[in-house]
């Protein structure tokens, strides 16, 4: 079920078995997808591009969280704090004379270092203790943001600039879209690649059965820390991309709700699925839009007046996020990635579905 | 200057202890870490407020209706959301309660608005004189209720049939089942009791400070308390609550006098939590079943 490959597709070498894209069709589909994405700024309007950019940025952060939660079996309820740290770090580096193109990866590395510091307990704790530890990390980092004026600009927040390369400034959604697209391709490619290396398989082994993993010579503490570091790195990169897109980073933006949203993306997309992270991000970005659209449909009607829909749209969005997480956990714990596999399998096997 | 702070810390800490106890109750009985504990306080306080203001009920009646409502609320949550997740990995269960938490927080904001609303006055006396300290009667009531609930828990777990059944289930589900204890019932009951007790704490805080979404922060403050006391120890929860209550007041005092960092009242318990997790993750009274690597 996991890998639905067409009949006759026998893998005759380890190399073939390890490829990321198993069939020619999937390779073609990926290439077509990237070409279509490149064409998007010419077709779509600013609003749609804004959504796509958000999906890309949050998708990168969600992928980092998925490496931690879905692939290593650790949990983090403080991902938004690391995302925020990356945003502030990149803005800070840029203000001190580092070009944006360099500040973004630097911010990723800085966030990874911070993540490793908070990952120290992660090397020893697991499950619910880790959940509580990362929840605390969220509050401590939020407090740090409000306190560290030199780093975050304090209550006023921090302004920053869009990336520019040899006179070409990516200040508008049409141009910034390409920046995000490149980042998405690089980061998702890196993650897909990571999962077929020794380190990636070690992470999965830690998730599946940590005792067996340890018996096979996997250093548990090292790999738990490593996965925390990778997750923070991805969060930092995504945060930096976010900062140079919004051009303003506010201290209040990176709340616990944001962290929960990231966890929601991972769960809805599918734990342990790389493509699922992007699907989950898309779901989480589009869900508030859909809720708002539904509320707008009812504007002026009796239901709207009775329930004060228009004035409380932000609460409705939060409720939708919470409800989506619960519904997926109860009815579709493997997320959209599994649903997508089932749809593909249905068409592949049609009309003999059994 | 320090004495009133410590007294205040003990009163608030007793409330933390009560909430921590109801948190531990759920964890012991059904191995669920409830990240939505603060929302129990929130929902309970708002529902009680609604009965008292919109329905103009006398306090005792509104309070009883609130308790009845919270019993149903706890059972429904357990049956609808948590029961399907039995046997799922711990991450999924944690996520489900996190989802519940933001859902009910937003729901309460939607229904009752974002601004704090005061309870109608319950006591006529403004303050009582104890040992030269002016104390509001609601604080005394709060302390009294906390002690009463703690004593009630003590009796429930040592003498009552249901309490013993719950302890047996916490000890070993299979053995409990083979002795004729209905495990699903015990789960539902633990959620109901936890919701009711938390709601009482929520009403008390609401009477003192007014009802607002800040109430749900008690659910977060519970973590330092339960980790300090040990996740599965009721006594530890009470003690942890008291310690955290005093700690945050003392931290604020120290900060105001010497450090001037600001915000220590809210953040000091979390630093304490990190330190506890590093040194003694199973807490003072917890069972040492955490596997270190």
């Amino acid at each position: 079920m996991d890998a639905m490959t067409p009949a006759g597709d026998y893998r005759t070498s380890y190399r073939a078995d390890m490829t990321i894209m198993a069939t020619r069709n999937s390779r073609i589909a990926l290439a077509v997808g990237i070409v279509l994405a490149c064409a998007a700024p010419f077709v779509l309007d600013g609003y749609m591009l804004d959504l796509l950019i958000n999906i890309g940025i949050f998708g990168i952060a969600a992928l980092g969280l998925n490496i931690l939660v879905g692939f290593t079996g650790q949990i983090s309820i403080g991902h938004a704090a690391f995302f925020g740290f990356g945003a502030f770090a990149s803005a800070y580096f840029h203000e001190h004379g580092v070009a944006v193109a360099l500040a973004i990866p630097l911010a990723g590395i800085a966030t990874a270092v911070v993540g490793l510091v908070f990952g120290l307990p992660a090397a020893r704790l697991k499950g619910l203790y880790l959940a509580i530890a990362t929840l605390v990390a969220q509050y401590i980092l939020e407090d740090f943001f409000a306190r560290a004026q030199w780093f975050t600009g304090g209550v006023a927040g921090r302004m920053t600039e869009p990336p520019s390369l040899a006179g070409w400034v990516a200040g508008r959604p049409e141009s910034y879209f390409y920046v995000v697209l490149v980042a998405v391709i690089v980061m998702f490619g890196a993650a897909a690649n990571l999962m077929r290396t020794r380190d990636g398989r070690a992470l999965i082994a830690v998730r599946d059965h940590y005792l067996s993993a340890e018996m096979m010579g996997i250093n548990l503490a090292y790999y738990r820390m490593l996965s925390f570091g990778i997750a923070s790195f991805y969060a930092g990169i995504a945060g930096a991309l976010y900062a140079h897109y919004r051009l303003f980073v506010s201290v209040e933006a990176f709340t616990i709700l944001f962290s929960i949203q990231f966890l929601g993306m991972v769960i809805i997309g599918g734990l342990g699925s790389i493509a699922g992270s992007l699907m989950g991000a898309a779901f989480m970005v589009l869900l508030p839009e859909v809720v708002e659209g539904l509320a707008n449909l009812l504007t002026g009607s009796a239901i709207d007046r009775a329930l004060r829909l228009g004035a409380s749209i932000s609460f409705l969005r939060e409720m939708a996020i919470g409800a989506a997480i619960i519904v997926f956990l109860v009815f579709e714990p493997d997320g959209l990635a599994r649903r997508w596999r089932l749809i593909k399998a249905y068409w592949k096997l049609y009309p003999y579905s059994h | 200057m320090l004495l009133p702070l410590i007294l205040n810390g003990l009163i608030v800490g007793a409330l933390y202890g009560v909430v921590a106890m109801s948190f531990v109750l759920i964890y012991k009985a059904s191995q669920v870490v409830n990240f939505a504990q603060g929302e129990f306080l929130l929902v309970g306080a708002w529902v009680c407020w609604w009965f008292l203001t919109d329905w103009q009920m006398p306090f005792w009646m509104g309070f009883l209706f609130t308790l009845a409502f919270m019993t149903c609320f706890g059972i429904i949550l357990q049956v609808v959301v948590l029961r399907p997740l039995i046997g799922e990995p711990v991450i999924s269960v944690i996520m489900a309660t996190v989802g519940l938490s933001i859902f009910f927080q937003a729901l309460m904001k939607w229904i009752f608005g974002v601004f704090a609303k005061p309870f109608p006055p319950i006591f006529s006396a403004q303050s009582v004189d104890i040992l030269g300290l002016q104390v509001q009667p609601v604080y005394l009531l709060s302390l009294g209720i906390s002690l009463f609930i703690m004593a009630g828990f003590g009796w429930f777990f040592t003498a009552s049939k249901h309490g013993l059944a719950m302890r047996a289930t916490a000890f070993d589900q299979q053995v409990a089942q083979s002795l004729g204890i209905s495990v699903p019932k015990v789960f539902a009951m633990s959620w109901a009791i936890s919701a009711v007790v938390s709601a009482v704490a929520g009403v008390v805080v609401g009477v003192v400070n007014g009802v607002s979404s800040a109430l749900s922060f008690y659910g977060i403050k519970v973590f330092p308390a339960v980790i300090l006391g040990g996740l599965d120890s009721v006594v530890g929860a009470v003690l942890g609550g008291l310690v955290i209550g005093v700690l945050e007041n003392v931290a604020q005092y120290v900060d105001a006098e010497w450090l001037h960092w600001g915000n220590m009242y809210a953040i000091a318990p979390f630093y304490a939590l990190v330190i506890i997790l590093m040194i003694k993750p199973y807490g003072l009274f917890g069972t040492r079943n955490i596997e270190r690597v």
Side-chain angles (χ1 to χ4, degrees):
Chain A
M1 198 75 242
D2 201 21
M4 285 295 302
T5 46
D9 178 40
Y10 301 116
R11 291 153 183 205
T12 49
S13 66
Y14 284 118
R15 207 184 141 75
D17 200 37
M18 300 257 296
T19 49
I20 297 172
M21 291 286 151
T23 59
R24 200 176 67 213
N25 280 351
S26 62
R27 281 191 288 271
I28 293 172
L30 182 70
V32 170
I34 290 175
V35 169
L36 279 181
C38 285
F42 299 103
V43 193
L44 301 174
D45 59 349
Y47 172 72
M48 296 293 282
L49 278 178
D50 179 66
L51 288 181
L52 281 180
I53 289 172
N54 277 332
I55 290 173
I57 292 175
F58 294 148
I60 291 174
L63 176 62
L65 190 61
N66 213 340
I67 291 175
L68 185 69
V69 181
F71 286 107
T72 322
Q74 303 284 82
I75 190 168
S76 168
I77 315 189
H79 206 59
F82 296 114
F83 183 87
F85 190 89
F88 284 121
S90 186
Y92 179 79
F93 290 141
H94 181 59
E95 200 177 285
H96 286 74
V98 183
V100 173
L102 207 59
I104 292 176
L106 259 184
I109 293 167
T111 314
V113 171
V114 174
L116 285 177
V117 171
F118 279 97
L120 274 177
R124 293 174 54 184
L125 304 171
K126 59 194 193 77
L128 53 103
Y129 282 89
L130 188 60
I132 297 171
T134 52
L135 180 76
V136 164
Q138 162 85 34
Y139 282 104
I140 288 179
L141 275 177
E142 256 184 73
D143 183 58
F144 169 76
F145 291 158
R147 207 186 287 277
Q149 200 115 29
W150 55 274
F151 182 60
T152 62
V155 196
R158 189 179 268 279
M159 310 285 280
T160 185
E161 287 167 8
S164 57
L165 193 71
W168 178 74
V169 182
R172 294 163 47 74
E174 287 82 4
S175 41
Y176 201 78
F177 178 81
Y178 289 108
V179 177
V180 174
L181 183 66
V182 169
V184 165
I185 293 171
V186 170
M187 300 305 274
F188 276 73
N193 222 7
L194 173 73
M195 286 312 147
R196 50 179 201 164
T197 61
R198 180 191 145 81
D199 288 336
R201 289 199 310 269
L203 294 180
I204 294 171
V206 170
R207 172 195 69 189
D208 285 345
H209 203 295
Y210 70 98
L211 270 182
S212 317
E214 199 172 19
M215 284 168 70
M216 297 183 59
I218 291 170
N219 183 342
L220 282 189
Y222 171 76
Y223 279 107
R224 283 188 177 149
M225 291 271 290
L226 179 72
S227 110
F228 228 86
I230 295 173
S232 312
F233 179 75
Y234 272 82
I237 295 279
L241 286 169
Y242 178 82
H244 294 293
Y245 176 55
R246 293 292 162 92
L247 306 182
F248 171 71
V249 196
S250 147
V251 177
E252 282 104 43
F254 310 106
T255 57
I256 179 85
L257 180 73
F258 206 7
S259 285
I260 294 170
Q261 243 172 310
F262 281 130
L263 268 174
M265 289 174 199
V266 171
I267 283 170
I268 288 167
L271 288 167
S273 159
I274 286 171
S277 309
L278 204 55
M279 294 185 211
F283 186 93
M284 264 305 173
V285 170
L286 297 179
L287 178 69
E289 307 296 327
V290 172
V291 171
E292 198 170 344
L294 286 180
N296 284 342
L297 276 184
L298 292 169
T299 304
S301 66
I303 302 173
D304 181 42
R305 257 170 284 137
L307 297 178
R308 305 193 306 275
L309 289 181
S312 29
I313 192 74
S314 62
F315 309 139
L316 291 176
R317 284 174 178 172
E318 286 175 33
M319 279 169 64
I321 291 168
I325 290 174
I326 296 168
V327 166
F328 267 88
L329 278 173
V330 173
F331 294 107
E332 185 70 288
D334 292 324
L336 292 174
R338 175 167 173 272
R339 192 52 40 194
W340 174 238
R341 273 203 301 276
L342 289 180
I343 292 170
K344 276 200 298 193
Y346 177 81
W347 286 109
K348 221 162 249 172
L349 299 173
Y350 187 82
Y352 306 109
S353 61
H354 289 290
Chain B
M1 192 52 220
L2 197 55
L3 185 67
L5 275 177
I6 290 183
L7 189 69
N8 190 29
L10 283 176
I11 291 169
V12 177
L15 278 175
Y16 288 158
V18 167
V19 182
M21 259 178 4
S22 43
F23 176 91
V24 167
L25 176 70
I26 287 184
Y27 179 71
K28 260 177 98 88
S30 58
Q31 269 78 49
V32 173
V33 177
N34 187 11
F35 277 78
Q37 198 73 38
E39 279 61 38
F40 283 172
L41 274 81
L42 188 67
V43 172
W46 274 123
V47 168
C48 188
W49 179 87
W50 182 65
F51 280 135
L52 293 191
T53 52
D54 279 18
W55 290 67
Q56 297 289 336
M57 285 183 189
F59 181 75
W60 62 269
M61 198 168 143
F63 191 63
L64 287 182
F65 271 109
T66 307
L67 297 191
F69 173 83
M70 289 308 287
T71 311
C72 306
F73 183 72
I75 293 175
I76 290 171
L77 272 195
Q78 206 280 328
V79 171
V80 174
V81 180
L82 275 308
R83 191 163 292 175
L85 290 176
I86 289 178
E88 293 283 327
V90 65
I91 291 176
S92 306
V93 181
I94 288 175
M95 276 314 297
T97 62
V98 169
L100 283 177
S101 149
I102 61 168
F103 180 81
F104 282 107
Q105 233 176 74
L107 182 70
M108 290 298 119
K109 280 186 200 155
W110 181 24
I111 300 176
F112 296 107
V114 287
F115 300 109
K117 286 175 185 164
F119 262 80
I122 299 167
F123 296 101
S124 47
Q126 275 303 308
S127 62
V128 207
D129 192 80
I130 298 170
L131 300 173
L133 292 171
Q134 295 293 319
V135 181
Q136 279 187 43
V138 276
Y139 280 111
L140 287 182
L141 176 82
S142 144
L143 197 60
I145 288 181
S146 305
L147 293 176
F148 176 74
I149 291 174
M150 288 169 190
F153 261 67
W155 171 82
F156 180 74
F157 280 116
T158 48
S160 81
K161 198 179 160 191
H162 293 297
L164 289 174
M166 214 173 264
R167 272 171 67 192
T169 313
F171 184 70
D172 191 323
Q173 279 179 23
Q174 283 188 345
V175 173
Q177 218 157 12
S178 64
L179 287 172
I181 295 168
S182 163
V183 172
K185 252 186 211 160
V186 166
F187 282 6
M189 190 164 62
S190 67
W191 277 77
I193 296 175
S194 182
V196 166
V197 171
S198 301
V200 173
V203 170
V204 170
V205 180
V207 169
V208 177
N209 294 336
V211 196
S212 74
S213 52
L215 266 176
S216 55
F217 205 58
Y218 274 69
I220 309 287
K221 279 283 176 69
V222 147
F223 287 114
V226 290
I227 292 290
L228 176 62
L231 256 182
D232 54 356
S233 161
V234 174
V235 182
V238 174
L239 209 68
L242 288 174
V243 170
I244 295 300
V246 173
L247 172 77
E248 59 182 17
N249 278 283
V250 171
Q252 192 195 20
Y253 176 75
V254 171
D255 183 45
E257 290 284 308
W258 296 293
L259 293 176
H260 306 294
W261 286 354
N263 204 19
M264 279 320 273
Y265 186 84
I267 211 80
F270 296 138
Y271 283 110
L273 171 54
V274 172
I275 295 167
I276 300 163
L277 277 180
M278 291 275 196
I279 304 169
K280 209 169 158 55
Y282 39 88
L284 295 175
F285 301 100
T287 319
R288 191 178 176 153
N289 62 353
I290 174 169
E291 293 139 297
R292 288 208 182 172
V293 284

